[in-house]
Amino acid sequence: MSTNDTLPSANFIRQIVTNDLKEHKHNGKVATRFPPEPNGYLHIGHAKSICLNFGIAAEFKGTCNLRFDDTNPEKENIEYMQSIERDVKWLGFDWAGLFNASDYFEQLYLYAEQLIEQGLAYVDSLSADDIRAYRGSLTEPGKESPDRSRSIEENLDLFRRMRAGEFADGQYVLRAKIDMASPNMNMRDPAIYRIRRVHHHRTGDKWCIYPMYDYTHCISDALEGITHSLCTLEFEDHRPLYDWVLEQLRNIDSIPPKPEDALLKVKYVEQAAKLHTPQQIEFARLQLEYTIVSKRKLNQLVTEKHVKGWDDPRMPTLAGLRRAGFTPKSIRDFCERIGVTKQNSWIEMGVLEYCIREDLNENAFRAMAVLQPLRVVIENYPADQVEQLEISNHPQKPELGKRQVPFTQVILIEQDDFAEVPPPKFKRLIEGGEVRLRGSYVIKCNEVIKNAAGVITELRCSYDPDTLGKNPEGRKVKGVIHWVSEPESKVAEIRLYDRLFTVPSPDNEPNFLDVINHDSLDVLEGCRVEASLAAAQAGNGYQFERTGYFCLDAIDSVDGKLVFNRTVTLREGGWAKD
RNA sequence: UGGGUCGUCGCCAAGCGGUAAGGCACGGGGUUUUGAUCUCCGCAUACCAAGGUUCGAAUCCUUGCGACCCAGCCA
C-alpha cells in the first residue's frame, strides 16, 4: 500500500491536454480511446497505450472507450476480442463505452456516399497492381487513374452496386480524390473501401464491402467525441488524411434523405451536426529488448509451436506475463517509468524486472523451495520428531503473519549450497563448516557420502540445539541457506524461464526465428517445496527465498500436482556465477 | 534523391533563454537468520556537430551529420 504507482511526470501529451483544458478546447472535455484490432492478443506494447489512454482520461476526469478496430474480417475473430477485454480489465482499467468500428459501418457508408456526391471520392476499376504503379514513388509524383474523372452519378451507382454485391472481390475500389502528386503518399487518392466477401465476426455476411482504416478511424473518433486520438509514430503521415476526411465531412451541410432507414437518418443528421475535430497525437511505440511485439511474429511463434500458446510465460503478451506471475501493478508502474515521448527508444529488460521485483518484494509471501535437492541427515536430531517452526511470511512485514514449517531429522538443501572445494568468499556449507538453516538451527557438516561414481549423495550433519532464534555463542556463522523437510515437503515441478531471444533486437534480424533462445525454458522435476505451498493460489506471487519469485501455474497445476513458474530471479549480487 | 519525425549519462527521461531533475543499470560503504530487501555515497563542466544571436543558449537562428517512418484493395 505504501508504494503507490510512480508519480506522474510531465510528458508532452499530458502537457498538451493540460493546455487544451486551460484554453477550454473541446468544451473542456477529455475523451480518449484504446482502439485495438482484434487480430491477436494484447502485448506489453499495448499496455503502454492502454495505460496512456486510460491514464490520461482518469487523470483529467475524462472518459476512455475501448473500441475494436474491426474493419478487416480476414484477420479478426471473437477469441481475440474476448482476450482483449479480459486483459484490459486485468490491467486494472474499465472503459466508459465499448464500441466496434463495425457499429459504424452504416454511417461510414452514408458518409462515403456524401463524399462521392461532393465529387471527393470515386470508384476506380484499376487493379491493385495498377494502383500501385500509378501511385508513383517517394520521389516521383503519381499519375491519375482514368476513372478519376468518372461522373458523380456513375460513381454513386457503382458504389451502391458494390455494396449490393454486383461485383467480384477486387474489381472496384472506392478512392478519396485528393492529390496524386502529394509528397505524402497517403494523400495520393487512398483507397477507402474495398470489396471483400468475407464473413465478419460481428456483422456476419451483411457487408461485402469494408472500409479501410484511415477512413474509418477518424470518423469513429469523431462519432464518439474523442478529443485526443493517441496513436503511434508511424501514423504521423496519416494525420493529414485523418484531418482531410473529417474536414470534408464537416463541410457538408445538406444531409441527403435516406428513405430506407428513417431512424438512422436522424442519428446521421445529429452526428453530422456535432462532428467535431479530434486531435491526433503520435507517440513512440514501446520497444523492449529481447522481445518481439509484432503481432504477425507473435502469431507465428504460436502457430509454429515455438512456444506453447499466446499465454506462454515467455511471451510478451499480457496473458503470458500474467501466467508468468507479473502483476498488473508492476506493468502499470513500468509503463509510467518508461515515459511517453516521440523518440524511438529501446527499453532494457532490467526496467521491467525492477518493476516486478519491487512489487513482489513488497507483497509476496516468503517460502522455501529446494530446486535440486541434496539429502542431509542430522545425526543428533531425533529420528521420529517433527518440529513445527514458526517462520515469518515476510521479514520486514510482521503484519503478514507467520506460517509453520516442519523440521525433521532428514532435510533437503540445494546441491549448490554445499561445496567440497569452495570458491573464494563462499559462505554456505562446506565439510567441517557450519551454516544457518533459514528460520531454523545452525548445522555442521561432519561427513560427505558419495556413491561409487563419486557423486555426493548425502551429507551427515549435526545441529546445535541452542541456535534456534539466536546466534551461537563464541563463533560467527555467516552463511544462511534454505531447506525443506524431506518427509514433510511436497514434490513440485518448477519451470525456469529465460528470455525468448538471444539478441536484444530480434526484430532486426533477417529471420527472428534464428535467434530464438533454445534454453528459454528449463523444467525441473522432483523439486521439493515446503508444505505450506500446497495451498498456493494462482495469481499470488511467492518469493522462494534465495532463489526468486514464483507463482503457481494457473493452467497446469491440477489434481494436486504443483507446478510453479519463475517470474523473475532475485537481484543477483554477482556471486551466482561461482 | 520527395515528405514526416527525432537527436540530453550505458538504457529511459525532465528541461520550454538564467547557468544539466529523476529512474533503471553500474561502482563502493553500512545493516541484515534471504549473497534479497533496506540504507548511505559516487556516477554528463556537459546536452549530435559547427557557426551565429545574447550579459547569459540544451533551450533561439543557420548549416551540416545521424537515426526512424511512408510507395497494402493491413491496422
Side-chain angles (χ1 to χ4, degrees):
Chain A
M1 53 138 275
S2 57
T3 34
N4 245 307
D5 288 14
T6 316
L7 282 174
S9 70
N11 66 49
F12 79 103
I13 295 181
R14 284 204 253 250
Q15 289 184 24
I16 290 173
V17 176
T18 301
N19 199 50
D20 287 350
L21 245 24
K22 198 178 359 176
E23 294 175 359
H24 206 69
K25 215 165 165 180
H26 309 294
N27 288 317
K29 288 207 165 62
V30 174
T32 58
R33 100 271 90 117
F34 171 60
E37 181 187 9
N39 69 341
Y41 278 59
L42 257 25
H43 53 64
I44 185 77
H46 291 112
K48 177 178 180 179
S49 176
I50 294 168
C51 290
L52 213 211
N53 279 292
F54 284 93
I56 288 283
E59 208 175 311
F60 294 94
K61 303 198 183 345
T63 56
C64 181
N65 291 341
L66 172 60
R67 181 172 72 233
F68 291 105
D69 226 329
D70 55 352
T71 55
N72 184 3
E74 280 169 293
K75 297 197 260 176
E76 299 152 5
N77 67 45
I78 299 267
E79 180 201 344
Y80 293 138
M81 282 183 71
Q82 290 168 341
S83 73
I84 288 168
E85 288 185 45
R86 177 187 181 189
D87 290 344
V88 171
K89 282 184 194 159
W90 175 76
L91 239 200
F93 298 103
D94 204 4
W95 41 86
L98 175 57
F99 299 104
N100 301 275
S102 55
D103 294 341
Y104 311 130
F105 279 176
E106 193 62 46
Q107 280 104 317
L108 257 2
Y109 174 83
L110 295 177
Y111 280 132
E113 284 201 354
Q114 273 303 291
L115 251 21
I116 293 171
E117 284 175 17
Q118 302 297 315
L120 295 167
Y122 61 98
V123 173
D124 199 349
S125 61
L126 244 31
S127 69
D129 283 347
D130 284 339
I131 286 182
R132 189 179 313 118
Y134 274 62
R135 188 148 34 224
S137 72
L138 294 179
T139 51
E140 303 157 313
K143 58 179 182 185
E144 299 185 350
S145 163
D147 289 352
R148 202 175 200 264
S149 52
R150 201 193 292 280
S151 73
I152 288 175
E153 293 66 31
E154 195 181 349
N155 278 322
L156 209 45
D157 176 60
L158 250 17
F159 187 51
R160 287 176 177 161
R161 290 164 62 195
M162 278 171 65
R163 176 181 183 170
E166 290 187 27
F167 308 117
D169 286 13
Q171 188 176 151
Y172 286 110
V173 79
L174 182 70
R175 292 230 255 171
K177 190 189 285 188
I178 309 179
D179 178 9
M180 287 308 290
S182 171
N184 181 343
M185 301 297 277
N186 294 300
M187 300 299 268
R188 322 247 262 227
D189 290 10
I192 58 178
Y193 265 94
R194 76 283 214 188
I195 304 174
R196 269 293 106 77
R197 282 179 179 72
V198 182
H199 185 84
H200 187 282
H201 65 277
R202 294 197 78 253
T203 59
D205 297 313
K206 181 177 181 190
W207 296 87
C208 64
I209 56 173
Y210 291 98
M212 304 283 292
Y213 166 84
D214 285 306
Y215 176 70
T216 308
H217 202 83
C218 53
I219 297 177
S220 303
D221 280 345
L223 293 177
E224 289 176 26
I226 300 303
T227 57
H228 302 266
S229 181
L230 313 180
C231 63
T232 43
L233 252 27
E234 65 269 29
F235 292 102
E236 274 174 327
D237 288 347
H238 295 241
R239 186 168 5 111
L241 177 52
Y242 183 108
D243 292 338
W244 183 91
V245 171
L246 293 181
E247 177 67 23
Q248 310 314 312
L249 262 18
R250 254 192 309 277
N251 289 339
I252 297 168
D253 47 21
S254 67
I255 307 300
K258 297 292 167 196
E260 63 270 43
D261 190 338
L263 184 64
L264 180 65
K265 183 189 159 196
V266 171
K267 282 165 67 182
Y268 180 57
V269 172
E270 286 171 354
Q271 279 153 348
K274 71 181 177 191
L275 206 53
H276 73 126
T277 318
Q279 181 181 1
Q280 177 176 306
I281 303 169
E282 310 85 10
F283 64 92
R285 71 186 320 147
L286 168 65
Q287 300 183 98
L288 223 207
E289 287 189 346
Y290 297 98
T291 68
I292 262 176
V293 284
S294 141
K295 275 202 244 179
R296 198 203 96 231
K297 289 176 183 172
L298 290 176
N299 207 314
Q300 196 178 346
L301 288 173
V302 173
T303 54
E304 293 180 6
K305 309 257 196 262
H306 296 106
V307 295
K308 290 175 183 157
W310 283 101
D311 66 347
D312 186 299
R314 291 165 294 182
M315 291 283 273
T317 51
L318 294 183
L321 290 164
R322 173 171 57 235
R323 192 167 174 191
F326 280 76
T327 59
K329 181 182 175 186
S330 70
I331 294 173
R332 277 185 261 126
D333 182 34
F334 172 75
C335 291
E336 184 57 45
R337 280 172 188 276
I338 60 176
V340 179
T341 68
K342 294 177 84 97
Q343 262 148 252
N344 279 112
S345 58
W346 285 88
I347 308 296
E348 293 176 340
M349 260 301 176
V351 183
L352 218 208
E353 291 177 349
Y354 176 85
C355 293
I356 186 58
R357 285 193 188 110
E358 183 182 54
D359 188 10
L360 261 16
N361 174 57
E362 176 86 6
N363 301 305
F365 278 29
R366 311 287 122 127
M368 290 194 282
V370 175
L371 308 201
Q372 310 206 70
L374 172 60
R375 185 179 155 88
V376 171
V377 177
I378 300 166
E379 296 174 306
N380 61 340
Y381 194 85
D384 52 0
Q385 185 169 318
V386 177
E387 186 176 355
Q388 294 295 340
L389 301 176
E390 289 226 305
I391 302 182
S392 181
N393 285 325
H394 189 120
Q396 283 83 34
K397 300 175 88 176
E399 66 272 24
L400 292 184
K402 297 180 177 208
R403 67 193 191 279
Q404 298 212 312
V405 182
F407 185 74
T408 53
Q409 183 191 40
V410 181
I411 62 170
L412 269 7
I413 68 169
E414 211 71 67
Q415 285 169 21
D416 285 351
D417 284 337
F418 175 80
E420 270 193 295
V421 187
K425 293 188 178 169
F426 187 77
K427 44 194 267 197
R428 290 106 93 191
L429 193 59
I430 58 174
E431 188 165 9
E434 285 187 304
V435 77
R436 156 77 62 185
L437 294 176
R438 175 71 163 156
S440 177
Y441 302 95
V442 168
I443 58 168
K444 177 178 185 178
C445 175
N446 303 314
E447 189 187 356
V448 180
I449 314 285
K450 297 179 181 180
N451 65 13
V455 175
I456 301 173
T457 55
E458 184 178 302
L459 262 24
R460 310 293 293 191
C461 298
S462 54
Y463 85 115
D464 181 342
D466 198 30
T467 54
L468 185 62
K470 57 178 158 178
N471 287 323
E473 292 180 14
R475 65 211 137 98
K476 271 213 175 118
V477 175
K478 49 185 190 303
V480 181
I481 64 174
H482 59 278
W483 56 277
V484 106
S485 161
E486 138 88 331
E488 299 292 321
S489 60
K490 305 292 180 191
V491 176
E493 174 181 318
I494 295 183
R495 299 172 180 171
L496 269 19
Y497 294 98
D498 198 358
R499 49 184 56 138
L500 228 202
F501 295 98
T502 58
V503 300
S505 47
D507 254 323
N508 294 341
E509 294 300 309
N511 183 356
F512 77 106
L513 296 176
D514 292 344
V515 292
I516 286 183
N517 175 14
H518 297 290
D519 300 318
S520 60
L521 171 58
D522 189 5
V523 179
L524 302 177
E525 320 250 13
C527 305
R528 302 292 282 264
V529 302
E530 64 170 69
S532 72
L533 252 11
Q537 300 288 312
N540 282 351
Y542 299 89
Q543 184 194 101
F544 291 176
E545 289 199 85
R546 302 210 312 132
T547 105
Y549 293 99
F550 294 78
C551 68
L552 192 70
D553 187 275
I555 311 291
D556 295 336
S557 291
V558 285
D559 302 327
K561 181 189 178 192
L562 293 172
V563 178
F564 289 95
N565 295 324
R566 182 173 69 194
T567 308
V568 66
T569 61
L570 249 33
R571 193 162 158 268
E572 288 164 10
W575 57 276
K577 303 151 205 149
D578 62 31

